Amino acid sequence: LAKTTQPISMDSYEGQEVNITCSHNNIATNDYITWYQQFPSQGPRFIIQGYKTKVTNEVASLFIPADRKSSTLSLPRVSLSDTAVYYCLVGSDLTGANNLFFGTGTRLTVIP
Amino acid sequence: DGGITQSPKYLFRKEGQNVTLSCEQNLNHDAMYWYRQDPGQGLRLIYYSQIVNDFQKGDIAEGYSVSREKKESFPLTVTSAQKNPTAFYLCASSPGRTKPQHFGDGTRLSIL
């Protein structure tokens, strides 16, 4: 069961780069890694997804080492509107429903 | 616009009463999910459906029931057997298990 572990909270100043790491020691061969962002009283929103190495889109980068036992979400030059909870999710088409484990996430606070 | 619609936004339940939360999607996604979120906590999977007329229990299915008679609809019933139903309920859908999930805006359920 590829459950995940993330820091509970992080603080960052505006304009800084933020890196949030997720540990998933039991990740399976077919599992993908997906990150979501959630604001209060809203549903999570997809940020980025990857399987190995590095993935980059217009809002973030995802770094995955060769052993895939962890992943790092990188947010460049954060702003106050990036204050939210960030979740790392690991799962695949081949594993059961119980592999959809969001965990408690990382609460990022961006400070002016 | 394609998306997921959850209704109602707020719902109140009396003791011993069953209530049904609606979730409709027009994204043509095969998979649909129900999560429960308690204050300050992450998302916990209640039920998951990969295809019409099929669904699987998640981590906390006791006291809940679902149906998937149509691809677009995945209603969740909170039964009187669920002793602590007060929570924020989120519905999601995805094209498949490895694909990112799209979430609704949630239903907040409270006990009168």
Side-chain angles (χ1 to χ4, degrees):
Chain A
L1 196 62
K3 295 205 172 180
T4 60
T5 303
Q6 302 175 232
I8 293 174
S9 64
M10 296 179 68
D11 293 337
S12 176
Y13 287 103
E14 257 189 311
Q16 303 258 325
E17 178 185 75
V18 171
N19 295 310
I20 305 173
T21 297
C22 178
S23 296
H24 27 81
N25 291 318
N26 296 321
I27 189 168
T29 302
N30 297 296
D31 284 342
Y32 279 76
I33 301 156
T34 312
W35 285 80
Y36 294 84
Q37 175 192 56
Q38 187 182 26
F39 298 111
S41 298
Q42 294 184 22
R45 186 179 68 177
F46 168 76
I47 302 174
I48 197 165
Q49 184 182 62
Y51 182 79
K52 62 180 179 180
T53 63
K54 177 183 175 182
V55 180
T56 298
N57 62 22
E58 62 276 9
V59 298
S61 294
L62 178 60
F63 299 92
I64 305 169
D67 66 6
R68 304 202 325 124
K69 294 184 183 297
S70 67
S71 58
T72 299
L73 173 72
S74 181
L75 304 172
R77 297 180 299 282
V78 293
S79 64
L80 297 177
S81 62
D82 292 317
T83 293
V85 178
Y86 293 83
Y87 294 97
C88 160
L89 184 66
V90 174
S92 77
D93 280 330
L94 301 180
T95 50
N98 286 343
N99 209 29
L100 290 169
F101 182 75
F102 270 81
T104 55
T106 298
R107 184 174 301 276
L108 172 66
T109 302
V110 180
I111 305 164
Chain B
D1 279 342
I4 296 192
T5 301
Q6 289 188 243
S7 62
K9 190 169 181 65
Y10 299 95
L11 187 59
F12 298 91
R13 194 192 91 169
K14 294 181 181 179
E15 295 283 348
Q17 188 179 50
N18 293 354
V19 290
T20 298
L21 283 60
S22 170
C23 178
E24 303 279 333
Q25 55 104 354
N26 59 5
L27 299 166
N28 199 34
H29 287 170
D30 287 319
M32 296 189 74
Y33 316 78
W34 273 105
Y35 294 92
R36 168 182 172 139
Q37 187 171 37
D38 293 288
Q41 303 298 312
L43 284 69
R44 292 185 291 170
L45 182 68
I46 305 173
Y47 268 100
Y48 154 72
S49 170
Q50 196 165 8
I51 196 170
V52 173
N53 292 323
D54 181 66
F55 45 82
Q56 298 178 44
K57 292 182 179 180
D59 293 329
I60 55 166
E62 186 174 349
Y64 300 98
S65 65
V66 293
S67 63
R68 187 86 187 276
E69 298 176 0
K70 299 186 300 182
K71 188 175 186 177
E72 306 80 31
S73 179
F74 192 40
L76 172 75
T77 297
V78 184
T79 74
S80 57
Q82 173 49 245
K83 298 307 179 187
N84 185 24
T86 298
F88 187 47
Y89 290 87
L90 287 159
C91 179
S93 72
S94 70
R97 282 288 303 277
T98 59
K99 303 300 183 185
Q101 296 178 44
H102 296 248
F103 283 83
D105 289 333
T107 293
R108 194 167 297 279
L109 175 63
S110 301
I111 295 298
L112 287 178

